[in-house]
Amino acid sequence: MTNTKPLILITNDDGITAPGIRALIEVMNELGDVCVVAPNSPQSGMGHAITINDTLYCDKVVIDKDAPQDEYSCSGTPADCVKLAVNEIIHRKPDLCVSGINHGSNSSINVIYSGTMSAAVEAGTQGIPSIGFSLLNYSLDANFEPVKKYVKTIAEKALIHGMPKGVILNVNFPDLLETQIKGIKVCRQADAHWVEKFDKRTNPLGREYYWLSGEFVNEDKGEDTDEWALQNGYVSVVPVQFDLTAHHAIKDINDWDI
Amino acid sequence: MTNTKPLILITNDDGITAPGIRALIEVMNELGDVCVVAPNSPQSGMGHAITINDTLYCDKVVIDKDAPQDEYSCSGTPADCVKLAVNEIIHRKPDLCVSGINHGSNSSINVIYSGTMSAAVEAGTQGIPSIGFSLLNYSLDANFEPVKKYVKTIAEKALIHGMPKGVILNVNFPDLLETQIKGIKVCRQADAHWVEKFDKRTNPLGREYYWLSGEFVNEDKGEDTDEWALQNGYVSVVPVQFDLTAHHAIKDINDWDI
């Protein structure tokens, strides 16, 4: 029997039991054979961390006994999961890697902190078509139903067309009802940033410590940005690259005459 | 008395006592007033991780009692150190942020895994001129003497010219004697990647685990790349950006007609 279904690798950064990845698995089972390799604990804000000074455990698990996919729970970061999956579990490049659905936004500058997107970027560096999905709702009770049809459409298109070389998709969904979502917009990353605020406290032993928090500030009013799309009811799709070279600045720095 | 010296923030990912940051502090003390806020333990491979589900400690320390700089040892990641420094320690944007000198390469695709560069990028997102420095020698005994004059020159130029908007410098040094280094080249990031290899072992309790390792593969032979510069005896300077949008791919994805 020939298996012509695509092989789809799924990971995330909220952990293998998070509702967001369960929704993503459900949709991907309609499109191909699914293998899940995801962190055994939440890894939000891990960026592109990899585990180089510690051991990695990766155990086969059954989370939904009626579902067809193989699942592996990994002690490492989202990027570790992708490396382990390709090299030690499925032993080949999957046809598609999808990461998410993240509980919370990875739009604009959030992409650089995102474990969800780092997993997708890691797959991209290995030449695997790859997409990160995120919903603008941090709650564990977030409703992923309205976005499932968009997840399916975008993944299907990626399977058909492949991905431009060196490009990964960063897809964010507004937290809206299905009838409120206006469609999909391909965007650029808004030029926004975080203004930090630290909550300074004293622990029971009298030692001071901090909690990191902050405020997201977007002064980029461009209607071609992901922030504009999301605020106006659209799904944002930003093509992201891992060639970080600021090619336009090479001349500027050469003019320093160093 | 008016203080007209620039304020320079220093961090790294190898930890506050690493020889690389001690060398960087020595050079920066020649250029301005120095404040060091660096991790209390090695953070290599941490990428742009930030600490959002745990507390952060940050303690004033004296490592070199004869040196003029203030130093703070932080329990967080390199990116946390920059956020804490700006908001809770120096209470303003420094004139320059330098990160490193990393023990090991952050050239080419390594930039996305690098805690050193993430600290520099974090500063860049806050509009602070910022540079990451790395030496192609992973050893704690690495010799930083030959590169000090280049560190000083590049930092001086950044203080004079500022940085193009949204740009950070990724500076890598070949592991050579001073007489062998041919000069500085402004480059693009080479299109290289890692081919993973996992070392699978069994722990004393009989449970399997992995060590991540891998081989760096560079098939990009361009003479305008950082890899070419480093292999040919030059210091590589890559202007790096945190707008990850693959602007050239927006049309391709729009052609998917989603």
Side-chain angles (χ1 to χ4, degrees):
Chain A
M1 202 175 87
T2 312
N3 186 351
T4 54
K5 281 173 146 184
L7 176 59
I8 302 172
L9 172 64
I10 305 185
T11 191
N12 77 341
D13 76 350
D14 292 313
I16 195 165
T17 60
I21 195 171
R22 307 322 297 175
L24 188 55
I25 293 166
E26 192 187 321
V27 176
M28 291 303 129
N29 272 327
E30 298 172 19
L31 297 179
D33 289 327
V34 168
C35 179
V36 180
V37 183
N40 61 14
S41 63
Q43 299 274 326
S44 294
M46 281 304 281
H48 210 108
I50 52 172
T51 304
I52 51 181
N53 287 312
D54 205 352
T55 55
L56 284 169
Y57 289 89
C58 192
D59 299 306
K60 192 162 187 180
V61 292
V62 176
I63 291 170
D64 176 355
K65 69 180 171 48
D66 297 322
Q69 71 276 357
D70 286 334
E71 299 204 45
Y72 297 81
S73 175
C74 175
S75 64
T77 66
D80 291 332
C81 287
V82 171
K83 290 178 184 284
L84 260 172
V86 171
N87 290 277
E88 295 290 326
I89 295 169
I90 60 179
H91 297 289
R92 73 169 177 93
K93 290 183 185 176
D95 299 294
L96 180 68
C97 175
V98 290
S99 179
I101 302 170
N102 191 58
H103 292 243
S105 171
N106 282 317
S107 62
S108 180
I109 194 66
N110 298 303
V111 67
I112 68 171
Y113 305 105
S114 164
T116 302
M117 279 307 298
S118 293
V121 168
E122 179 60 41
T125 69
Q126 301 192 28
I128 300 162
S130 183
I131 311 168
F133 294 103
S134 307
L135 174 66
L136 271 63
N137 183 334
Y138 286 90
S139 164
L140 269 181
D141 301 327
N143 179 15
F144 293 96
E145 286 306 318
V147 308
K148 283 183 179 173
K149 76 171 187 182
Y150 294 100
V151 170
K152 187 173 179 183
T153 300
I154 295 167
E156 272 177 328
K157 292 286 186 179
L159 284 166
I160 293 167
H161 296 282
M163 205 64 78
K165 181 172 160 30
V167 171
I168 303 103
L169 299 188
N170 181 16
V171 179
N172 282 266
F173 299 107
D175 185 30
L176 296 173
L177 299 175
E178 191 169 345
T179 52
Q180 295 170 316
I181 300 178
K182 291 182 188 158
I184 297 172
K185 280 211 185 287
V186 185
C187 311
R188 65 174 173 86
Q189 173 184 325
D191 179 17
H193 64 282
W194 283 89
V195 175
E196 259 61 54
K197 288 180 185 160
F198 285 90
D199 187 355
K200 192 173 181 176
R201 302 185 181 185
T202 305
N203 80 5
L205 301 174
R207 188 173 170 206
E208 286 181 337
Y209 67 96
Y210 300 91
W211 287 103
L212 170 61
S213 66
E215 186 190 353
F216 181 71
V217 178
N218 178 26
E219 287 166 350
D220 183 348
K221 301 305 175 202
E223 298 191 0
D224 56 346
T225 65
D226 50 2
E227 289 302 318
W228 188 93
L230 291 162
Q231 280 161 26
N232 287 275
Y234 293 93
V235 176
S236 69
V237 177
V238 177
V240 160
Q241 62 192 353
F242 47 84
D243 174 5
L244 305 191
T245 312
H247 291 275
H248 65 280
I250 288 179
K251 183 182 175 303
D252 294 330
I253 307 302
N254 267 320
D255 287 347
W256 287 7
D257 198 23
I258 40 180
Chain B
M1 201 176 88
T2 312
N3 186 349
T4 55
K5 281 175 148 184
L7 176 58
I8 302 173
L9 172 64
I10 306 185
T11 192
N12 77 342
D13 76 351
D14 292 315
I16 195 164
T17 60
I21 195 170
R22 307 322 299 176
L24 188 54
I25 293 165
E26 192 186 322
V27 176
M28 292 303 129
N29 272 327
E30 297 172 20
L31 297 180
D33 289 327
V34 167
C35 179
V36 180
V37 184
N40 61 13
S41 62
Q43 298 275 327
S44 293
M46 280 304 279
H48 210 108
I50 52 173
T51 303
I52 52 180
N53 287 312
D54 206 351
T55 54
L56 284 169
Y57 288 90
C58 192
D59 301 306
K60 192 161 187 181
V61 292
V62 176
I63 291 171
D64 177 355
K65 68 179 170 51
D66 297 323
Q69 70 277 356
D70 286 334
E71 300 205 44
Y72 296 82
S73 174
C74 175
S75 63
T77 66
D80 291 333
C81 288
V82 172
K83 290 177 184 285
L84 261 172
V86 171
N87 290 278
E88 296 290 327
I89 296 169
I90 59 179
H91 297 289
R92 71 168 179 96
K93 289 183 185 174
D95 300 293
L96 179 68
C97 174
V98 290
S99 179
I101 302 171
N102 190 59
H103 293 243
S105 172
N106 282 316
S107 62
S108 180
I109 193 68
N110 297 304
V111 67
I112 68 170
Y113 304 106
S114 164
T116 302
M117 279 306 298
S118 293
V121 169
E122 179 60 40
T125 69
Q126 300 192 28
I128 301 162
S130 182
I131 311 168
F133 294 103
S134 306
L135 174 65
L136 272 63
N137 183 334
Y138 286 89
S139 164
L140 269 181
D141 301 328
N143 180 15
F144 293 96
E145 286 306 318
V147 309
K148 283 182 178 173
K149 75 172 187 182
Y150 295 100
V151 169
K152 186 173 180 182
T153 299
I154 295 167
E156 272 178 327
K157 293 286 186 179
L159 283 166
I160 293 167
H161 296 282
M163 206 64 79
K165 181 173 160 29
V167 170
I168 303 104
L169 299 188
N170 182 16
V171 178
N172 282 265
F173 299 107
D175 185 29
L176 296 173
L177 298 176
E178 190 169 347
T179 53
Q180 295 171 315
I181 299 178
K182 292 180 188 160
I184 296 172
K185 279 209 185 286
V186 185
C187 311
R188 66 173 173 88
Q189 173 184 325
D191 179 17
H193 63 283
W194 283 89
V195 174
E196 259 60 56
K197 288 179 185 160
F198 285 90
D199 187 355
K200 192 173 182 176
R201 301 185 181 185
T202 305
N203 80 5
L205 301 173
R207 188 172 170 205
E208 286 181 336
Y209 67 95
Y210 299 90
W211 286 104
L212 170 61
S213 65
E215 187 189 353
F216 181 71
V217 177
N218 178 25
E219 287 166 351
D220 182 347
K221 301 304 175 203
E223 297 191 0
D224 56 347
T225 65
D226 50 1
E227 289 303 317
W228 188 92
L230 292 162
Q231 281 160 26
N232 286 275
Y234 292 93
V235 177
S236 69
V237 177
V238 177
V240 160
Q241 61 191 353
F242 46 85
D243 174 5
L244 305 191
T245 312
H247 291 274
H248 65 279
I250 288 179
K251 184 183 175 302
D252 294 330
I253 307 302
N254 266 320
D255 287 346
W256 288 7
D257 199 23
I258 39 180

